Structures are given as C-alpha cells and as structure tokens.
Amino acid sequence: MQKELKYCKLMDDLKEKILCGQLRSGDRLPSENELSDQYQVSRQTVRKALSILENDGFIYAEHGRGTFCSGLLRHIGNSKNIAVITTYLSDYIFPRVIGGIDSVLTKEGYSILLKNTRNSRSQEARYLEELLSKDIDGIIIEPSKSQIYCKHINLYQTLDEYKIPYVFIQGCFSQLDDKPYVLMDDCKGGYLITKYLIDTGHKNIVGVFKSDDIQGQNRHKGYVLALQEAGMSYDPDKVVWFYTEDRKVHPYESIRKMVKEKKPMDAIVCYNDQIAVKVIQALEDSGVKVPEEVSVTGYDHSHMAYRTGMHLTTIVHPQEKLGEIAAELLLDLIRNGNHLEREKNIWIEPEIVIGNSCKVRTNNL
C-alpha cells in the first residue's frame, strides 16, 4: 500500500507540473536516478509512475536521450474529435441536448467523445486531464457544481495554452465568465414563473432551489425579484436549499415537514421538473391536493413535465436547440479563433408554458 502511494504521488506531481505548464512540450524530465533521489523511492517505483504517464500520453521516451513531456505535441487541431462533458448523460434533458450537439457535429464530419461527471468536481478534473493527453479539436462542457469556486482552473488555462477551444453550457464558473458560453437566462426564468403565480393570486409561495450550481442561484434571484416587485416580503423560511447529493431526499422531506408544521403555502416554485415531481409526491403523500390546495411549477419542460392527468406549468428549455447553438459556436471557434462570426456569450430567453399544475386563487385576487 505504501509503495502504491509513493508511485501515485510521483505520478500526480509530474502530471501537475505538465498541466500547469511548469513542464512544457518537449522538456526533458529528470532521469530515473534523479527522480529516485528526489522522491526517496526505488527506481522500480519511478518506472511504474513513468510507464503510466507514458500510456496516458503525458510523456514519451526516446532511447538513449531520456523522457520528455508530450503536451502540445499531441494537439494538432485536425483530429475531428470533439469532447462533450455533461453532468449526466442518459436521463432528464441531457439526451436531447447531446442530440442537438451531435446533429451539428456529425454533419461536419466530427466524432464525439462523451464524458459523464455525475456532477462531481473531481471527476470533471480527471476528464480534463485525460483529454489534455488526447488529440481533440475542442470541448463542450457543462461544469459540475458551477456555483462553487473552481479549484482546477489550471486545467482550463492549459486548454487555453494548447489552443483547444471550449464552450460552456448550462453554467459557467465565476473565474471563467469571459469564456464562450450558451446559457439560459435563469434569473428571468425564475422571475417569470414566480410572477405568474403572483398574478394568479398566490400569496404564500415556497421556493425549492439547488445551491451548488449557478442555475439554482439565478432561479432563486428571479424568485426574489418577482416577490420584491409585487411588494411581498421575502421569507428565508419559505425557501428550501438542496445539494446534488441530497436531491432525491431533501426536497421531499422538507415539503412534508412544512405540511406537518402547517406552514402557510399555496404554491411552490421548484428548481426543475425533476424536483417538482418529488414535491408533488411529498404533497400527495401528506394528503395535500395539487393544484386544488397547492400549485406547483417546474423548470425545463422535460418529459417529466407530463404525469398521468397532469402537465406542469414550467419554463421551456430548448434542449436540442441549446446543443445545436453550442456546437455551432465551438465550430466557429475552431475555424476562426477569436475572430468569431457570432457572439461568444449567448443567452437564451426563457418562455413559460402553462399547464394544469396551478390553480387561480380567485379569493386572493
């Protein structure tokens, strides 16, 4: 175990030096003897670490000359490979977003490398490290937990150094908000859906939002703006915040607790359709009728917006279109660099779709 930790530490240190630019393309690495002395490990341990780095494409060996950093040598810009990194692949809105990307890139002769982070920051970093060792022409990426400060910013800086263009979708890290992106105007979306509830007579509007991505923060901002505009006070006790890891349990349990404690509510603004389904289940399991007693809204207009006998009032997410726009923007970056034919920061306007999950509160109008 100790030996394994030693070769992992050596491997990770060398990889970090390559990715942060301390070791550049063509630079010669220290000899096996020098690394053995520096890290106080055996030459066998050194060889194991170097072998893995070579297999991963970070370094290459030349007989009689030594070992060298591969880096930029692997990125020649005409591989016709595009990497797509999303938080999820097979559920919710993601298949349709990826379908939109694929429809544009396939037409132009590109192949797609799909990566799924499951909204893990460490997994995102690992995938970026892997892609930096491959020959790819560009990346479309949905950042993981985009509201949290990005600790692997050096990997994006290395992409810039290697001249590998990338486009953010769905969210963007605050340190990289000057980079190309395609985003929904989530603040306006949160505002529109909340204003609709206010305009239809709702007075006690609960909000359920995701705290670790920028979409949740911005949808919450829109919720607050609509309340303020209507002269309604913001009550933090009426807002449920949840994290990626507890999304399947916390919203459900929190709404059940509110019902049990008889907290006044006549509507609930949900982070997305997926959460709206959980909230409706919590209300129904608590004996509360939707929409007769409590109205519920979603966001994204996904397949989950349609339940037996119910269609969520929700915000339209142009899933395929967003993917198409992102792919077209990336192709423009690949062909023209900084001399783009279009805006590099694209905002998609939200639209509300009225379903039957809300009821007009005539007594409150």
Side-chain angles (χ1 to χ4, degrees):
M1 180 65 179
Q2 187 64 29
K3 188 175 181 180
E4 181 180 350
L5 290 174
K6 285 181 179 179
Y7 91 76
C8 285
K9 182 181 188 314
L10 171 57
M11 184 178 64
D12 290 342
D13 282 0
L14 290 174
K15 189 188 294 184
E16 176 68 20
K17 288 178 181 178
I18 293 169
L19 292 174
C20 73
Q22 191 174 338
L23 282 172
R24 296 177 179 273
S25 174
D27 285 353
R28 184 180 182 277
L29 272 66
S31 69
E32 288 184 5
N33 285 333
E34 289 170 331
L35 289 171
S36 178
D37 291 340
Q38 181 181 345
Y39 286 88
Q40 293 296 294
V41 296
S42 69
R43 289 186 65 182
Q44 182 182 356
T45 300
V46 171
R47 288 193 192 105
K48 185 171 185 178
L50 294 180
S51 175
I52 294 172
L53 287 173
E54 186 172 9
N55 287 337
D56 289 345
F58 286 96
I59 61 175
Y60 63 95
E62 289 189 6
H63 185 68
R65 292 192 64 229
T67 305
F68 300 85
C69 172
S70 299
L72 195 56
L73 295 177
R74 297 185 62 87
H75 299 285
I76 56 178
N78 60 2
S79 69
K80 304 300 281 187
N81 291 322
I82 298 292
V84 176
I85 304 175
T86 58
T87 53
Y88 300 96
L89 290 179
S90 60
D91 59 358
Y92 199 50
I93 65 171
F94 299 100
R96 294 174 66 183
V97 172
I98 294 167
I101 294 171
D102 181 65
S103 68
V104 172
L105 295 182
T106 300
K107 191 185 303 181
E108 297 298 323
Y110 285 87
S111 297
I112 296 178
L113 303 174
L114 285 176
K115 301 293 182 181
N116 169 22
T117 67
R118 302 201 66 81
N119 213 22
S120 163
R121 302 291 290 279
S122 59
Q123 189 63 57
E124 178 180 313
R126 282 194 289 271
Y127 283 143
L128 288 173
E129 287 179 359
E130 176 190 331
L131 292 170
L132 281 164
S133 71
K134 296 183 183 298
D135 193 11
I136 56 170
D137 295 351
I139 302 175
I140 295 173
I141 181 166
E142 179 195 16
S144 301
K145 298 183 178 178
S146 53
Q147 177 60 21
I148 302 173
Y149 188 84
C150 179
K151 293 183 179 179
H152 52 272
I153 198 77
N154 63 300
L155 297 175
Y156 288 102
Q157 292 168 342
T158 304
L159 288 173
D160 292 333
E161 180 186 339
Y162 287 6
K163 301 189 186 316
I164 301 173
Y166 51 94
V167 172
F168 288 111
I169 58 172
Q170 305 276 80
C172 183
F173 295 119
S174 60
Q175 306 107 294
L176 296 168
D177 60 5
D178 61 331
K179 299 299 180 182
Y181 58 69
V182 181
L183 306 177
M184 286 280 293
D185 188 342
D186 286 308
C187 181
K188 186 171 182 180
Y191 168 84
L192 286 175
I193 204 89
T194 308
K195 186 177 187 300
Y196 169 77
L197 290 171
I198 293 169
D199 290 346
T200 51
H202 297 84
K203 301 296 184 183
N204 294 291
I205 305 172
V206 170
V208 182
F209 301 102
K210 194 161 182 276
S211 61
D212 54 12
D213 70 28
I214 197 66
Q215 297 104 300
Q217 297 290 332
N218 285 334
R219 291 169 195 179
H220 172 259
K221 284 181 184 177
Y223 163 83
V224 174
L225 285 172
L227 293 178
Q228 290 176 338
E229 182 182 85
M232 298 168 66
S233 60
Y234 173 78
D235 183 354
D237 290 336
K238 288 182 179 177
V239 175
V240 175
W241 290 102
F242 67 94
Y243 295 95
T244 296
E245 292 76 12
D246 62 15
R247 69 190 184 281
K248 294 181 179 179
V249 176
H250 188 59
Y252 175 89
E253 295 294 345
S254 296
I255 295 302
R256 291 210 68 178
K257 186 171 184 285
M258 285 185 173
V259 173
K260 184 177 180 180
E261 294 176 351
K262 301 188 185 315
K263 294 282 181 69
M265 70 173 93
D266 54 18
I268 303 176
V269 174
C270 296
Y271 165 75
N272 65 10
D273 298 341
Q274 200 170 44
I275 295 302
V277 170
K278 291 285 184 186
V279 164
I280 290 171
Q281 182 185 348
L283 292 169
E284 291 177 345
D285 289 349
S286 301
V288 177
K289 295 180 180 179
V290 178
E292 290 81 1
E293 297 175 79
V294 176
S295 298
V296 177
T297 65
Y299 201 110
D300 288 334
H301 202 211
S302 69
H303 67 92
M304 289 186 171
Y306 299 88
R307 302 172 79 237
T308 304
M310 183 172 291
H311 173 202
L312 282 172
T313 294
T314 187
I315 294 291
V316 174
H317 186 299
Q319 296 153 37
E320 290 95 343
K321 188 64 178 176
L322 184 144
E324 292 168 5
I325 294 170
E328 289 164 356
L329 176 56
L330 183 62
L331 290 177
D332 196 356
L333 287 164
I334 291 170
R335 292 165 181 155
N336 302 308
N338 292 325
H339 305 291
L340 294 177
E341 297 176 351
R342 70 195 73 225
E343 288 291 325
K344 72 171 186 175
N345 301 133
I346 300 171
W347 290 94
I348 297 175
E349 285 288 306
E351 297 177 18
I352 190 168
V353 173
I354 308 300
N356 60 4
S357 65
C358 299
K359 181 179 179 181
V360 176
R361 310 291 169 192
T362 54
N363 293 337
N364 294 336
L365 290 174

